[in-house]
Protein backbone atom coordinates (compact mmCIF):
# COMPACT_ATOMS: atom_id res chain seq x y z
CA UNK A 1 0.00 0.00 0.00
CA UNK A 2 1.35 3.44 -1.05
CA UNK A 3 0.69 6.13 1.56
CA UNK A 4 1.31 9.86 1.34
CA UNK A 5 3.00 11.42 4.42
CA UNK A 6 -0.23 13.03 5.60
CA UNK A 7 -2.29 9.87 5.23
CA UNK A 8 0.45 7.94 7.08
CA UNK A 9 0.03 10.28 10.07
CA UNK A 10 -3.72 9.90 9.91
CA UNK A 11 -3.35 6.12 9.72
CA UNK A 12 -1.06 6.05 12.79
CA UNK A 13 -3.45 8.28 14.72
CA UNK A 14 -6.30 5.96 13.88
CA UNK A 15 -4.30 2.95 15.06
CA UNK A 16 -3.35 4.67 18.33
CA UNK A 17 -6.86 5.94 18.93
CA UNK A 18 -8.32 2.53 18.12
CA UNK A 19 -6.00 0.81 20.58
CA UNK A 20 -6.88 3.24 23.33
CA UNK A 21 -10.61 3.01 22.69
CA UNK A 22 -10.49 -0.77 22.62
CA UNK A 23 -8.69 -1.13 25.95
CA UNK A 24 -9.70 -4.75 26.25
CA UNK A 25 -12.31 -5.44 28.87
CA UNK A 26 -10.98 -7.48 31.74
CA UNK A 27 -11.97 -10.76 33.28
CA UNK A 28 -14.32 -9.79 36.14
CA UNK A 29 -12.39 -9.54 39.41
CA UNK A 30 -14.56 -12.13 41.19
CA UNK A 31 -13.81 -14.69 38.47
CA UNK A 32 -10.09 -13.92 38.63
CA UNK A 33 -10.15 -14.48 42.42
CA UNK A 34 -12.11 -17.73 42.06
CA UNK A 35 -9.54 -18.93 39.52
CA UNK A 36 -6.69 -18.25 41.96
CA UNK A 37 -8.61 -20.18 44.63
CA UNK A 38 -9.09 -23.10 42.24
CA UNK A 39 -5.39 -23.10 41.31
CA UNK A 40 -4.30 -22.89 44.95
CA UNK A 41 -6.57 -25.81 45.85
CA UNK A 42 -4.85 -28.15 43.37
CA UNK A 43 -1.34 -27.00 44.23
CA UNK A 44 -0.65 -24.83 47.23
CA UNK A 45 3.09 -25.12 46.65
CA UNK A 46 2.97 -22.79 43.63
CA UNK A 47 2.61 -19.04 44.02
CA UNK A 48 -0.03 -18.63 41.33
CA UNK A 49 -0.65 -14.93 42.01
CA UNK A 50 3.05 -14.19 41.58
CA UNK A 51 3.42 -16.29 38.43
CA UNK A 52 0.24 -14.94 36.81
CA UNK A 53 -0.34 -11.44 38.21
CA UNK A 54 -2.22 -10.15 35.15
CA UNK A 55 -5.64 -10.80 33.71
CA UNK A 56 -5.77 -14.62 33.59
CA UNK A 57 -7.58 -14.54 30.26
CA UNK A 58 -4.72 -12.57 28.67
CA UNK A 59 -1.82 -14.34 30.38
CA UNK A 60 -2.91 -17.25 32.49
CA UNK A 61 -1.74 -20.84 32.80
CA UNK A 62 -2.50 -23.36 30.08
CA UNK A 63 -5.62 -25.27 30.83
CA UNK A 64 -7.48 -22.08 31.70
CA UNK A 65 -9.49 -21.04 28.65
CA UNK A 66 -11.60 -17.96 28.13
CA UNK A 67 -14.13 -16.81 25.61
CA UNK A 68 -15.67 -13.43 24.86
CA UNK A 69 -19.32 -12.83 25.65
CA UNK A 70 -21.21 -9.77 24.58
CA UNK A 71 -22.99 -8.02 27.36
CA UNK A 72 -25.75 -5.72 26.08
CA UNK A 73 -25.67 -3.67 29.31
CA UNK A 74 -21.98 -2.93 28.87
CA UNK A 75 -20.97 -0.44 26.19
CA UNK A 76 -17.33 -1.61 26.24
CA UNK A 77 -18.33 -4.62 24.13
CA UNK A 78 -17.51 -8.26 24.68
CA UNK A 79 -16.35 -9.34 28.14
CA UNK A 80 -14.03 -12.33 28.68
CA UNK A 81 -15.10 -15.19 30.92
CA UNK A 82 -13.48 -18.47 31.89
CA UNK A 83 -15.04 -21.34 29.94
CA UNK A 84 -12.62 -24.20 30.64
CA UNK A 85 -10.55 -25.29 33.61
CA UNK A 86 -8.24 -28.24 32.94
CA UNK A 87 -6.00 -29.46 35.75
CA UNK A 88 -3.39 -32.15 36.21
CA UNK A 89 -0.87 -34.14 34.27
CA UNK A 90 -1.95 -35.36 30.85
CA UNK A 91 1.34 -35.81 29.01
CA UNK A 92 4.78 -34.26 28.79
CA UNK A 93 3.43 -32.04 26.03
CA UNK A 94 0.50 -30.71 27.98
CA UNK A 95 1.16 -27.94 30.42
CA UNK A 96 -2.09 -27.95 32.38
CA UNK A 97 -1.57 -26.53 35.86
CA UNK A 98 0.10 -29.36 37.79
CA UNK A 99 -1.48 -30.87 40.90
CA UNK A 100 0.44 -31.07 44.16
CA UNK A 101 0.41 -33.84 46.77
CA UNK A 102 -2.36 -32.16 48.74
CA UNK A 103 -4.62 -31.38 45.78
CA UNK A 104 -8.29 -30.95 46.57
CA UNK A 105 -11.33 -29.71 44.71
CA UNK A 106 -11.89 -26.14 45.79
CA UNK A 107 -15.34 -25.27 47.14
CA UNK A 108 -15.41 -22.49 44.54
CA UNK A 109 -15.77 -25.18 41.88
CA UNK A 110 -18.38 -27.70 42.93
CA UNK A 111 -20.35 -25.70 45.48
CA UNK A 112 -20.61 -22.16 44.16
CA UNK A 113 -22.26 -22.00 40.77
CA UNK A 114 -21.70 -18.26 40.71
CA UNK A 115 -17.89 -18.46 40.74
CA UNK A 116 -17.58 -19.32 37.05
CA UNK A 117 -20.95 -18.47 35.51
CA UNK A 118 -19.77 -19.30 31.98
CA UNK A 119 -17.82 -22.50 32.66
CA UNK A 120 -18.33 -25.22 30.04
CA UNK A 121 -15.68 -27.73 31.01
CA UNK A 122 -14.12 -28.84 34.28
CA UNK A 123 -11.41 -31.45 33.83
CA UNK A 124 -9.09 -33.16 36.33
CA UNK A 125 -6.67 -35.78 35.03
CA UNK A 126 -4.15 -37.53 37.24
CA UNK A 127 -4.62 -34.89 39.90
CA UNK A 128 -5.74 -36.65 43.07
CA UNK A 129 -3.24 -39.44 43.47
CA UNK A 130 -1.55 -38.98 46.83
CA UNK A 131 -3.69 -37.94 49.78
CA UNK A 132 -7.41 -38.71 50.01
CA UNK A 133 -9.45 -35.95 48.50
CA UNK A 134 -13.19 -36.09 49.20
CA UNK A 135 -15.82 -34.65 46.92
CA UNK A 136 -18.01 -32.15 48.79
CA UNK A 137 -20.78 -33.83 50.75
CA UNK A 138 -23.18 -30.96 50.20
CA UNK A 139 -25.22 -31.03 46.99
CA UNK A 140 -23.07 -29.80 44.15
CA UNK A 141 -23.87 -26.42 42.78
CA UNK A 142 -22.25 -26.16 39.39
CA UNK A 143 -22.93 -23.47 36.80
CA UNK A 144 -25.84 -24.26 34.50
CA UNK A 145 -23.50 -23.58 31.59
CA UNK A 146 -21.42 -26.71 32.32
CA UNK A 147 -21.19 -29.16 29.39
CA UNK A 148 -18.35 -31.44 30.47
CA UNK A 149 -17.35 -32.73 33.90
CA UNK A 150 -14.38 -35.07 33.58
CA UNK A 151 -12.50 -36.71 36.47
CA UNK A 152 -10.08 -39.29 35.05
CA UNK A 153 -7.35 -41.27 36.77
CA UNK A 154 -7.75 -39.76 40.22
CA UNK A 155 -7.39 -42.77 42.53
CA UNK A 156 -7.52 -40.83 45.79
CA UNK A 157 -10.66 -38.92 44.88
CA UNK A 158 -13.42 -40.30 47.11
CA UNK A 159 -17.01 -39.47 47.92
CA UNK A 160 -20.25 -39.73 46.01
CA UNK A 161 -22.01 -38.18 43.08
CA UNK A 162 -25.06 -36.34 44.44
CA UNK A 163 -28.49 -36.44 42.78
CA UNK A 164 -28.10 -32.72 42.09
CA UNK A 165 -25.89 -33.64 39.14
CA UNK A 166 -29.20 -34.07 37.31
CA UNK A 167 -29.73 -30.30 37.53
CA UNK A 168 -27.15 -29.43 34.87
CA UNK A 169 -29.31 -28.74 31.82
CA UNK A 170 -26.46 -28.60 29.29
CA UNK A 171 -24.26 -31.45 30.50
CA UNK A 172 -23.05 -33.54 27.53
CA UNK A 173 -20.20 -35.48 29.13
CA UNK A 174 -19.96 -36.90 32.63
CA UNK A 175 -16.80 -38.95 33.13
CA UNK A 176 -15.63 -40.34 36.48
CA UNK A 177 -13.07 -43.06 35.77
CA UNK A 178 -10.18 -44.53 37.72
CA UNK A 179 -11.27 -42.96 41.03
CA UNK A 180 -12.24 -44.03 44.53
CA UNK A 181 -15.70 -42.53 44.09
CA UNK A 182 -18.37 -44.82 45.55
CA UNK A 183 -22.07 -44.92 46.35
CA UNK A 184 -24.95 -45.51 44.00
CA UNK A 185 -25.33 -43.98 40.57
CA UNK A 186 -28.05 -41.32 40.92
CA UNK A 187 -31.20 -42.06 38.93
CA UNK A 188 -31.40 -38.29 38.41
CA UNK A 189 -28.72 -38.59 35.72
CA UNK A 190 -31.72 -39.60 33.61
CA UNK A 191 -32.86 -35.97 33.81
CA UNK A 192 -29.94 -34.78 31.65
CA UNK A 193 -31.50 -34.30 28.21
CA UNK A 194 -28.27 -33.58 26.33
CA UNK A 195 -26.03 -36.19 27.94
CA UNK A 196 -24.10 -37.97 25.19
CA UNK A 197 -21.38 -39.67 27.18
CA UNK A 198 -21.74 -41.23 30.64
CA UNK A 199 -18.58 -42.97 31.81
CA UNK A 200 -18.56 -44.02 35.46
CA UNK A 201 -15.92 -46.74 35.34
CA UNK A 202 -13.02 -48.25 37.29
CA UNK A 203 -14.34 -46.77 40.51
CA UNK A 204 -16.39 -48.12 43.43
CA UNK A 205 -19.95 -47.51 42.40
CA UNK A 206 -22.39 -50.05 43.75
CA UNK A 207 -26.10 -50.73 43.72
CA UNK A 208 -28.17 -51.08 40.57
CA UNK A 209 -27.74 -49.65 37.09
CA UNK A 210 -30.48 -46.99 37.37
CA UNK A 211 -33.39 -47.58 35.04
CA UNK A 212 -33.68 -43.79 34.76
CA UNK A 213 -30.70 -43.83 32.41
CA UNK A 214 -33.20 -45.01 29.78
CA UNK A 215 -34.45 -41.40 29.68
CA UNK A 216 -31.10 -40.03 28.43
CA UNK A 217 -32.26 -39.95 24.84
CA UNK A 218 -29.07 -38.29 23.55
CA UNK A 219 -26.76 -40.91 25.05
CA UNK A 220 -24.17 -42.41 22.69
CA UNK A 221 -21.68 -43.88 25.14
CA UNK A 222 -22.65 -45.64 28.37
CA UNK A 223 -19.70 -47.19 30.20
CA UNK A 224 -20.20 -48.32 33.79
CA UNK A 225 -17.49 -51.00 33.67
CA UNK A 226 -15.29 -52.23 36.52
CA UNK A 227 -17.35 -51.21 39.53
CA UNK A 228 -19.41 -53.22 42.02
CA UNK A 229 -22.78 -52.76 40.40
CA UNK A 230 -25.40 -55.42 41.05
CA UNK A 231 -29.03 -56.07 40.15
CA UNK A 232 -30.20 -56.56 36.59
CA UNK A 233 -29.56 -54.92 33.25
CA UNK A 234 -32.56 -52.55 33.06
CA UNK A 235 -34.72 -53.20 30.00
CA UNK A 236 -35.18 -49.41 29.81
CA UNK A 237 -31.69 -49.16 28.31
CA UNK A 238 -33.33 -50.48 25.13
CA UNK A 239 -34.82 -46.99 24.71
CA UNK A 240 -31.42 -45.40 24.07
CA UNK A 241 -31.90 -45.16 20.33
CA UNK A 242 -28.60 -43.35 19.71
CA UNK A 243 -26.42 -45.61 21.81
CA UNK A 244 -23.22 -46.71 20.07
CA UNK A 245 -21.31 -48.21 23.00
CA UNK A 246 -22.67 -50.10 26.01
CA UNK A 247 -20.12 -51.42 28.50
CA UNK A 248 -21.30 -52.89 31.80
CA UNK A 249 -18.40 -55.35 32.07
CA UNK A 250 -16.68 -56.43 35.29
CA UNK A 251 -19.48 -55.84 37.77
CA UNK A 252 -21.83 -58.17 39.67
CA UNK A 253 -24.83 -57.78 37.42
CA UNK A 254 -27.17 -60.79 37.37
CA UNK A 255 -30.31 -61.99 35.63
CA UNK A 256 -30.99 -62.29 31.91
CA UNK A 257 -29.90 -59.92 29.17
CA UNK A 258 -33.18 -58.12 28.32
CA UNK A 259 -34.58 -58.77 24.86
CA UNK A 260 -35.38 -55.05 24.57
CA UNK A 261 -31.69 -54.33 24.08
CA UNK A 262 -32.34 -55.63 20.56
CA UNK A 263 -33.84 -52.20 19.83
CA UNK A 264 -30.38 -50.62 20.06
CA UNK A 265 -30.07 -50.53 16.31
CA UNK A 266 -27.06 -48.20 16.31
CA UNK A 267 -25.08 -50.15 18.88
CA UNK A 268 -21.59 -51.06 17.69
CA UNK A 269 -19.90 -52.16 20.89
CA UNK A 270 -21.53 -54.33 23.56
CA UNK A 271 -19.54 -55.57 26.54
CA UNK A 272 -21.34 -57.40 29.34
CA UNK A 273 -18.41 -59.69 30.19
CA UNK A 274 -17.39 -60.71 33.70
CA UNK A 275 -20.74 -60.47 35.44
CA UNK A 276 -23.25 -63.01 36.75
CA UNK A 277 -25.67 -63.01 33.87
CA UNK A 278 -27.97 -65.96 33.18
CA UNK A 279 -30.60 -66.97 30.66
CA UNK A 280 -28.49 -67.64 27.58
CA UNK A 281 -27.24 -65.55 24.66
CA UNK A 282 -30.31 -63.50 23.66
CA UNK A 283 -31.54 -63.87 20.09
CA UNK A 284 -32.23 -60.10 20.26
CA UNK A 285 -28.53 -59.60 19.52
CA UNK A 286 -29.44 -60.50 15.95
CA UNK A 287 -31.47 -57.27 15.68
CA UNK A 288 -28.46 -55.05 16.42
CA UNK A 289 -27.50 -54.63 12.80
CA UNK A 290 -24.68 -52.17 13.51
CA UNK A 291 -22.86 -54.48 15.90
CA UNK A 292 -19.07 -54.66 15.50
CA UNK A 293 -17.97 -56.17 18.80
CA UNK A 294 -19.84 -58.26 21.34
CA UNK A 295 -18.24 -59.52 24.54
CA UNK A 296 -20.13 -61.69 26.99
CA UNK A 297 -17.20 -63.77 28.31
CA UNK A 298 -16.92 -64.67 31.96
CA UNK A 299 -20.59 -65.13 32.83
CA UNK A 300 -20.32 -68.79 33.82
CA UNK A 301 -24.04 -69.20 34.47
CA UNK A 302 -25.22 -67.80 31.13
CA UNK A 303 -25.57 -71.22 29.50
CA UNK A 304 -27.71 -72.28 26.57
CA UNK A 305 -26.73 -72.84 22.95
CA UNK A 306 -25.15 -70.43 20.47
CA UNK A 307 -28.22 -68.99 18.75
CA UNK A 308 -28.66 -68.82 14.96
CA UNK A 309 -28.68 -65.02 14.78
CA UNK A 310 -25.77 -64.23 12.51
CA UNK A 311 -27.49 -63.39 9.26
CA UNK A 312 -27.46 -59.58 9.12
CA UNK A 313 -24.55 -59.30 11.54
CA UNK A 314 -21.87 -59.39 8.85
CA UNK A 315 -20.26 -56.25 10.28
CA UNK A 316 -19.10 -58.04 13.42
CA UNK A 317 -15.32 -57.94 13.95
CA UNK A 318 -15.03 -59.50 17.40
CA UNK A 319 -16.99 -62.04 19.44
CA UNK A 320 -16.03 -62.96 23.01
CA UNK A 321 -18.10 -65.81 24.39
CA UNK A 322 -15.61 -67.59 26.63
CA UNK A 323 -16.57 -69.26 29.87
CA UNK A 324 -20.34 -69.01 29.47
CA UNK A 325 -21.29 -72.65 29.96
CA UNK A 326 -22.45 -72.80 26.33
CA UNK A 327 -23.67 -76.21 25.15
CA UNK A 328 -24.43 -77.78 21.78
CA UNK A 329 -22.69 -77.25 18.46
CA UNK A 330 -20.99 -74.29 16.87
CA UNK A 331 -23.45 -73.24 14.15
CA UNK A 332 -22.16 -73.30 10.58
CA UNK A 333 -24.01 -70.01 10.03
CA UNK A 334 -21.24 -68.25 11.94
CA UNK A 335 -18.85 -69.15 9.12
CA UNK A 336 -21.40 -68.25 6.44
CA UNK A 337 -22.42 -64.78 7.63
CA UNK A 338 -19.51 -63.44 9.67
CA UNK A 339 -17.40 -62.41 6.69
CA UNK A 340 -15.41 -59.76 8.60
CA UNK A 341 -14.72 -61.60 11.83
CA UNK A 342 -11.20 -61.01 13.18
CA UNK A 343 -11.56 -62.35 16.70
CA UNK A 344 -13.62 -65.31 17.88
CA UNK A 345 -13.40 -66.72 21.40
CA UNK A 346 -15.64 -69.66 22.29
CA UNK A 347 -13.17 -71.32 24.67
CA UNK A 348 -13.91 -72.78 28.07
CA UNK A 349 -17.48 -73.79 27.31
CA UNK A 350 -19.23 -77.14 26.96
CA UNK A 351 -19.47 -77.06 23.16
CA UNK A 352 -19.50 -80.42 21.44
CA UNK A 353 -19.79 -82.08 18.05
CA UNK A 354 -17.75 -81.52 14.93
CA UNK A 355 -16.64 -78.13 13.69
CA UNK A 356 -18.81 -77.22 10.69
CA UNK A 357 -17.05 -77.00 7.31
CA UNK A 358 -18.41 -73.45 6.89
CA UNK A 359 -16.01 -72.22 9.57
CA UNK A 360 -13.29 -72.51 6.91
CA UNK A 361 -14.68 -69.28 5.49
CA UNK A 362 -13.39 -67.43 8.55
CA UNK A 363 -9.88 -67.96 7.18
CA UNK A 364 -10.32 -64.86 5.01
CA UNK A 365 -10.53 -62.44 7.94
CA UNK A 366 -9.65 -64.21 11.20
CA UNK A 367 -6.65 -63.08 13.22
CA UNK A 368 -7.44 -65.05 16.36
CA UNK A 369 -9.70 -68.04 17.04
CA UNK A 370 -9.91 -69.66 20.45
CA UNK A 371 -11.97 -72.85 20.78
CA UNK A 372 -9.89 -74.38 23.59
CA UNK A 373 -11.33 -76.32 26.49
CA UNK A 374 -14.58 -77.64 25.02
CA UNK A 375 -15.66 -81.13 23.94
CA UNK A 376 -15.29 -80.61 20.21
CA UNK A 377 -14.61 -83.66 18.08
CA UNK A 378 -13.46 -84.74 14.64
CA UNK A 379 -11.26 -82.98 12.15
CA UNK A 380 -10.75 -79.27 11.99
CA UNK A 381 -12.03 -77.59 8.82
CA UNK A 382 -9.12 -75.15 8.45
CA UNK A 383 -6.42 -75.46 5.81
CA UNK A 384 -2.88 -76.38 6.78
CA UNK A 385 -1.70 -73.01 5.49
CA UNK A 386 -4.12 -71.19 7.76
CA UNK A 387 -3.17 -73.27 10.79
CA UNK A 388 0.46 -72.52 10.05
CA UNK A 389 -0.14 -68.81 9.56
CA UNK A 390 -2.17 -68.46 12.77
CA UNK A 391 0.33 -70.33 14.93
CA UNK A 392 -0.49 -69.52 18.57
CA UNK A 393 -3.54 -67.50 17.57
CA UNK A 394 -5.53 -70.63 16.75
CA UNK A 395 -6.19 -72.33 20.06
CA UNK A 396 -7.74 -75.77 20.00
CA UNK A 397 -6.17 -77.47 23.01
CA UNK A 398 -8.32 -79.04 25.66
CA UNK A 399 -10.60 -80.78 23.16
CA UNK A 400 -9.51 -84.41 23.60
CA UNK A 401 -11.60 -85.67 20.68
CA UNK A 402 -10.44 -83.07 18.18
CA UNK A 403 -7.72 -83.98 15.73
CA UNK A 404 -5.67 -81.46 13.84
CA UNK A 405 -4.11 -82.35 10.49
CA UNK A 406 -1.13 -80.27 9.60
CA UNK A 407 0.74 -80.47 6.32
CA UNK A 408 4.43 -80.33 6.99
CA UNK A 409 7.22 -80.92 4.45
CA UNK A 410 4.92 -82.86 2.18
CA UNK A 411 3.70 -85.30 4.78
CA UNK A 412 0.56 -85.13 6.89
CA UNK A 413 1.30 -85.05 10.53
CA UNK A 414 -1.65 -85.79 12.74
CA UNK A 415 -1.51 -83.93 15.98
CA UNK A 416 -3.85 -85.22 18.61
CA UNK A 417 -4.48 -82.89 21.46
CA UNK A 418 -4.61 -85.15 24.47
CA UNK A 419 -6.50 -82.75 26.66
CA UNK A 420 -3.59 -80.35 26.76
C1 LIG B 1 -0.11 -31.58 53.01
O1 LIG B 1 -0.98 -31.61 54.12
C2 LIG B 1 -0.38 -32.06 55.31
C3 LIG B 1 -1.46 -32.19 56.35
O2 LIG B 1 -2.43 -31.21 56.21
C4 LIG B 1 0.73 -31.10 55.70
O3 LIG B 1 1.36 -31.54 56.88
C5 LIG B 1 1.73 -31.01 54.57
O4 LIG B 1 2.70 -30.07 54.86
C6 LIG B 1 1.05 -30.66 53.28
N1 LIG B 1 2.00 -30.74 52.20
C7 LIG B 1 2.12 -29.82 51.27
C8 LIG B 1 3.15 -30.04 50.21
O5 LIG B 1 1.43 -28.83 51.26
C1 LIG C 1 -7.89 -74.56 29.45
O1 LIG C 1 -8.15 -74.99 30.78
C2 LIG C 1 -6.96 -75.10 31.56
C3 LIG C 1 -7.35 -75.74 32.88
O2 LIG C 1 -8.49 -75.16 33.40
C4 LIG C 1 -6.36 -73.72 31.73
O3 LIG C 1 -5.18 -73.78 32.51
C5 LIG C 1 -6.03 -73.17 30.35
O4 LIG C 1 -5.55 -71.85 30.48
C6 LIG C 1 -7.26 -73.18 29.46
N1 LIG C 1 -6.86 -72.81 28.10
C7 LIG C 1 -7.33 -71.76 27.47
C8 LIG C 1 -6.77 -71.47 26.13
O5 LIG C 1 -8.19 -71.05 27.94
Amino acid sequence: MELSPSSTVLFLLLVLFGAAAQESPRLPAAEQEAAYAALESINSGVDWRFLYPDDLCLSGPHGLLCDLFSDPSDSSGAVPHIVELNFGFVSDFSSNPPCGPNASISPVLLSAASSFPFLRKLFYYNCFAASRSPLPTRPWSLPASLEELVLIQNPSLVGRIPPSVGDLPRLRRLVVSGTGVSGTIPDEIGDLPDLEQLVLSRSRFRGPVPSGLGRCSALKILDLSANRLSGRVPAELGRLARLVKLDLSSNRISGPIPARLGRLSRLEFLDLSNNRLTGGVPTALGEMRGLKEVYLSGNPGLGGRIPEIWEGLGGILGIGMSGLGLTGNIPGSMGVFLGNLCYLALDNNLLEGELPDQLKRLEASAKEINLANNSLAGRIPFSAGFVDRMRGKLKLTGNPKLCVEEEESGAFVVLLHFGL
Side-chain angles (χ1 to χ4, degrees), residues 50-73:
F50 176 77
L51 279 180
Y52 301 101
D54 300 323
D55 187 312
L56 290 170
C57 284
L58 292 178
S59 60
H62 281 94
L64 184 152
L65 273 74
C66 299
D67 221 342
L68 291 170
F69 293 82
S70 55
D71 178 353
S73 69

Side-chain angles (χ1 to χ4, degrees), residues 29-265:
E31 239 173 288
Q32 175 104 357
E33 273 308 305
Y36 283 135
L39 289 163
E40 280 155 10
S41 70
I42 57 139
N43 197 332
S44 53
V46 173
D47 191 345
W48 299 101
R49 287 168 201 266
F50 176 77
L51 279 180
Y52 301 101
D54 300 323
D55 187 312
L56 290 170
C57 284
L58 292 178
S59 60
H62 281 94
L64 184 152
L65 273 74
C66 299
D67 221 342
L68 291 170
F69 293 82
S70 55
D71 178 353
S73 69
D74 187 337
S75 58
S76 65
V79 182
H81 290 286
I82 294 174
V83 293
E84 281 193 26
L85 289 168
N86 301 281
F87 300 119
F89 179 81
V90 179
S91 76
D92 287 338
F93 308 103
S94 149
S95 40
N96 284 347
C99 297
N102 281 2
S104 65
I105 295 190
S106 163
V108 301
L109 284 169
L110 293 181
S111 319
S114 52
S115 304
F116 300 101
F118 294 81
L119 196 67
R120 293 189 198 123
K121 180 178 179 187
L122 181 56
F123 174 94
Y124 288 89
Y125 187 95
N126 232 319
C127 190
F128 311 103
S131 51
R132 263 170 66 95
S133 180
L135 289 165
T137 45
R138 281 177 296 157
W140 295 355
S141 163
L142 283 156
S145 53
L146 199 70
E147 295 172 17
E148 299 178 66
L149 177 58
V150 182
L151 308 166
I152 297 182
Q153 213 53 45
N154 293 298
S156 62
L157 186 70
V158 297
R160 289 155 181 254
I161 298 184
S164 62
V165 76
D167 299 339
L168 296 164
R170 299 218 188 138
L171 202 65
R172 287 187 294 108
R173 251 181 113 202
L174 176 58
V175 179
V176 179
S177 180
T179 72
V181 177
S182 58
T184 54
I185 297 176
D187 198 62
E188 288 78 357
I189 289 177
D191 299 338
L192 297 167
D194 291 340
L195 195 67
E196 291 175 12
Q197 192 177 342
L198 178 63
V199 178
L200 305 176
S201 65
R202 299 186 298 112
S203 294
R204 296 187 182 172
F205 294 104
R206 48 193 161 68
V209 176
S211 57
L213 297 185
R215 300 198 309 273
C216 295
S217 53
L219 211 56
K220 292 179 179 158
I221 294 176
L222 176 56
D223 178 355
L224 307 179
S225 63
N227 286 298
R228 296 162 185 183
L229 300 173
S230 54
R232 303 193 159 213
V233 179
E236 287 84 351
L237 298 187
R239 289 160 54 181
L240 300 172
R242 299 195 188 160
L243 204 63
V244 175
K245 173 177 176 173
L246 175 59
D247 188 347
L248 303 178
S249 65
S250 299
N251 278 293
R252 298 165 185 175
I253 298 169
S254 56
I257 302 171
R260 271 169 71 187
L261 292 194
R263 296 191 197 168
L264 301 173
S265 56

Side-chain angles (χ1 to χ4, degrees), residues 347-348 370 372-373 395 397-398 420:
D347 55 287
N348 295 289
N370 189 347
N373 293 343
K395 299 191 178 92
T397 53
L420 292 173

